Amino acid sequence: MHHKFIFVVGGVMSGVGKGTSTAALGLILRAKGFTVTAIKIDPYVNVDAGTMNPVEHGEVFVTVDGDETDQDIGNYERFLDIDITKKNYMTTGRVYLSVIEKERRGDYHGKCVEVVPRVPEEVIARIDIAAEAAKADFVLIEIGGTVGEYENILFLEALRMMRMRDPDSVRTILVSYLPVPPSIGEMKTKPTQHAVREINRVGIAPDFIICRSEAALDAPRREKLSRFCGVPEAHIITAANAKSIYEVPMMFEEQGFADTVLKSFHAEAKPADLSSWQKLVEKIGGVKNEVRIGVIGKYFSTGDFILSDAYLSVLEALKHGAWANGCKPVIEWLNSEEYEKHPEKLGELDTFDGILIPGGFGSRGVEGKIAAIGYARKNKIPYFGICYGMQCAVIEFARTELGWNDANTTEIDTATTHPVIHIMSDQNTKLDVQGIGGTLRLGSYPCVLAENSVSMAAYGETNISERHRHRYEFNSDYREDLVRAGLVIAGTSPDDRLVEIVEVADHPFFVGVQFHPEFQSRPLSPHPLFVAFIKAAKSRVA
Ligand code: GLN
């Protein structure tokens, strides 16, 4: 079977589940025995997500091969249970950069380089490369943003051109939103009709519409949408709010969605084995005991709203770890700056079963994090520090146990007399030569665990591989002193040069990791450190 391309575009507004719909359809096709891959197109001019503020854009997801991508790549990995590489992520910036580089090399042989077709051609070339690399029967391509925006128009043009190239190999799904305004009490189809008109204007007719809404779509509205949007009724899929995103595949399969997609490609319908997902959903529904986790960060307030998108994979990994322990995670987002302004608030940490500090950058809120870590260490509250959360744990330990009051990371204080965290040796040159974009230590690196460590017990093996995204690291000049004061070095690079995991003894769970374990946690194979952390937190409840 030659590659079949399924484009997923959004209508009406963002945040209605395009990524989840893409991932869920991919999962079902995989469960029907096909090879599937998924591509995310981000319409921003940024070359990667690494330079986008997570409050605005959400989490920066890191792939095994070190790309800084959109959080949807994480959704695909969690649903499809495959590693997705940098071939599967593109931005406007990345596409234009290639076109301009080609022009500079003279690859266009003196021709005027027109935006159309050159830019869409580059998009198509990238899609073809990803399809070939994955040897995929089905390639799902999610175009970021919503139809009608100026920014994604060239990607829609790529879709149109691919359809012209081979009409039988391309299908388009529109994920739309059907509001039920409380004052009217009726589900409205008009915004979806407008979204379809919008996409029609650029020469594309959707083959399927996924209708996201509070409640299921009823017959009169399905009929209306079909008539006004030119989509067969059987191609209109209802996606009412689910209790968890992990229920969406079953919701789609009940409607025979993937089979209808297969039939539209003139392929035969097939049964899907979704039993492990079904079991997971049942497990999620059955968990009763709550475990209360405080996540201390700073990337979640936007105006009057709290968004947890910046820490999406951490949140998912906490859920996976909790479900594996038969409990329900109750997560509270705690603002580290509050502990700087009101140190007396640290006492609230006692009400949590576990504290987690995820990755972060810069000085804002960092002293609050260090104070919270000190509180968790002293009061034996399970603590899990990730990346900045590990670095801050080392700083806290150095200040408290060795009396090095000015111990710090040189990210914040270059003049400290105790730079226990310092810039990695190659990073200064990278910054000087290449600037900030894509120059951190990125992607998967091996790590060797110490016998008898909490981490080793959790993983059950000595050699692991985890994904990184940082510029600073543990300063080995201070290793001996810190170890003498009781810090446990539980994981290092295979050459023993880089410290990757620290722990403290005589504590229910105090683990700081330089890498980001959350990127490798999957619902069906929860990450061992998250499982161990929640287990410790659960014991605190009991
Ligand atoms: N700011 C720290 C560094 O660059 C930690 C990065 C992170 O938490 N991802 O090393």
Side-chain angles (χ1 to χ4, degrees):
M1 177 169 171
H2 208 63
H3 312 300
K4 303 287 184 206
F5 302 94
I6 303 171
F7 282 87
V8 181
V9 300
V12 179
M13 65 184 197
S14 65
V16 296
K18 242 182 330 150
T20 306
S21 301
T22 308
L25 177 61
L27 165 82
I28 303 170
L29 289 168
R30 232 169 99 79
K32 288 179 187 280
F34 294 103
T35 311
V36 178
T37 195
I39 296 175
K40 171 74 193 228
I41 295 178
D42 232 341
Y44 300 106
V45 179
N46 304 61
V47 170
D48 56 44
T51 55
M52 300 186 214
N53 184 330
V55 176
E56 279 180 42
H57 182 256
E59 165 184 274
V60 178
F61 187 82
V62 179
T63 60
V64 268
D65 57 348
D67 201 5
E68 296 175 285
T69 73
D70 182 81
Q71 62 189 33
D72 276 319
I73 297 283
N75 274 326
Y76 308 158
E77 289 205 351
R78 286 185 283 271
F79 276 78
L80 300 177
D81 202 15
I82 54 173
D83 286 344
I84 299 222
T85 65
K86 55 170 70 141
K87 289 192 178 77
N88 288 34
Y89 177 63
M90 72 179 102
T91 62
T92 295
R94 199 169 280 194
V95 170
Y96 267 92
L97 200 57
S98 304
V99 171
I100 293 167
E101 279 166 2
K102 276 188 193 160
E103 187 277 332
R104 292 289 79 187
R105 278 199 307 267
D107 291 0
Y108 293 110
H109 306 293
K111 290 246 187 290
C112 295
V113 183
E114 292 167 309
V115 168
V116 176
R118 297 310 185 189
V119 173
E121 272 174 7
E122 174 62 29
V123 174
I124 296 169
R126 285 168 176 266
I127 293 172
D128 284 337
I129 289 170
E132 257 332 282
K135 306 234 169 316
D137 299 321
F138 289 98
V139 184
L140 290 135
I141 306 139
E142 181 186 345
I143 301 182
T146 25
V147 294
E149 279 167 16
Y150 189 74
E151 295 193 309
N152 54 21
I153 205 96
L154 290 167
F155 299 108
L156 294 170
E157 180 62 7
L159 190 179
R160 201 187 62 82
M161 282 166 61
M162 280 185 76
R163 195 149 186 160
M164 272 175 61
R165 179 177 82 172
D166 179 8
D168 268 350
S169 70
V170 179
R171 295 291 174 263
T172 309
I173 299 174
L174 176 77
V175 181
S176 192
Y177 181 67
L178 286 87
V180 184
S183 54
I184 303 173
E186 187 197 355
M187 186 184 290
K188 305 305 277 180
T189 62
K190 193 53 70 61
T192 302
Q193 295 179 41
H194 283 305
V196 171
R197 288 277 177 278
E198 238 355 288
I199 193 168
N200 287 162
R201 268 154 43 100
V202 293
I204 297 164
D207 300 293
F208 296 86
I209 303 177
I210 296 178
C211 298
R212 176 70 197 281
S213 53
E214 306 292 317
L217 190 72
D218 60 1
R221 263 146 282 261
R222 183 185 297 269
E223 195 194 319
K224 195 171 189 179
L225 277 175
S226 172
R227 186 169 342 110
F228 289 114
C229 303
V231 174
E233 279 192 37
H235 287 204
I236 297 177
I237 308 302
T238 168
N241 283 355
K243 276 205 253 24
S244 114
I245 54 169
Y246 298 118
E247 285 180 22
V248 177
M250 264 73 74
M251 189 193 278
F252 283 176
E253 185 57 2
E254 273 162 28
Q255 299 176 63
F257 177 26
D259 282 338
T260 321
V261 171
L262 285 173
K263 278 190 242 157
S264 82
F265 281 116
H266 315 295
E268 272 179 37
K270 274 185 173 195
D273 180 7
L274 291 173
S275 51
S276 35
W277 279 82
Q278 186 62 47
K279 265 194 228 126
L280 175 76
V281 168
E282 278 159 23
K283 193 174 190 176
I284 299 172
V287 293
K288 287 200 178 61
N289 293 336
E290 293 187 344
V291 60
R292 245 169 80 77
I293 306 294
V295 178
I296 307 178
K298 64 172 178 184
Y299 299 125
F300 33 69
S301 22
T302 78
D304 291 343
F305 300 92
I306 295 282
L307 284 179
S308 57
D309 259 19
Y311 306 108
L312 184 71
S313 294
V314 170
L315 177 61
E316 289 305 305
L318 281 169
K319 288 184 199 165
H320 307 158
W323 298 331
N325 279 290
C327 49
K328 187 166 41 191
V330 177
I331 314 246
E332 201 157 313
W333 305 101
L334 307 169
N335 188 340
S336 54
E337 287 168 281
E338 285 296 304
Y339 301 132
E340 292 171 5
K341 286 183 241 151
H342 312 283
E344 69 281 2
K345 279 199 178 168
L346 282 170
E348 73 181 7
L349 297 178
D350 281 321
T351 64
F352 292 93
D353 307 315
I355 304 293
L356 186 148
I357 299 191
F361 292 84
S363 58
R364 185 165 63 85
V366 78
E367 287 300 328
K369 289 182 186 175
I370 295 169
I373 294 168
Y375 193 90
R377 194 162 67 84
K378 210 176 311 133
N379 294 288
K380 304 218 186 291
I381 307 168
Y383 173 71
F384 193 10
I386 294 176
C387 208
Y388 218 13
M390 172 265 201
Q391 298 176 353
C392 291
V394 174
I395 297 168
E396 188 281 322
F397 194 89
R399 288 185 188 173
T400 313
E401 300 301 322
L402 289 161
W404 299 342
N405 294 332
D406 76 335
N408 217 325
T409 162
T410 54
E411 177 172 354
I412 293 170
D413 180 5
T414 43
T416 169
T417 55
H418 294 96
V420 289
I421 304 293
H422 68 166
I423 193 146
M424 304 190 74
S425 54
D426 58 340
Q427 285 291 335
N428 271 327
T429 0
K430 275 196 183 168
L431 280 174
D432 286 346
V433 181
Q434 292 159 266
I436 62 158
T439 57
L440 291 91
R441 181 184 183 216
L442 292 166
S444 291
Y445 286 89
C447 170
V448 179
L449 303 179
E451 297 290 337
N452 304 323
S453 59
V454 171
S455 303
M456 165 86 201
Y459 281 94
E461 55 187 325
T462 332
N463 294 299
I464 57 156
S465 170
E466 292 281 1
R467 301 187 197 173
H468 291 249
R469 180 173 185 250
H470 57 112
R471 211 180 291 284
Y472 297 82
E473 64 170 333
F474 183 105
N475 184 347
S476 285
D477 291 349
Y478 297 100
R479 187 160 159 180
E480 239 178 87
D481 285 326
L482 286 162
V483 168
R484 209 173 308 118
L487 192 72
V488 177
I489 306 298
T492 63
S493 56
D495 62 5
D496 200 37
R497 232 172 37 84
L498 304 177
V499 171
E500 310 283 34
I501 309 180
V502 297
E503 295 178 1
V504 301
D506 300 323
H507 194 283
F509 186 98
F510 192 101
V511 177
V513 293
Q514 182 58 80
F515 46 80
H516 289 269
E518 69 273 23
F519 295 142
Q520 301 206 135
S521 188
R522 307 225 167 122
L524 298 180
S525 45
H527 193 284
L529 285 178
F530 278 90
V531 176
F533 170 57
I534 299 285
K535 190 168 173 219
K538 195 176 136 191
S539 317
R540 188 172 148 86
V541 188

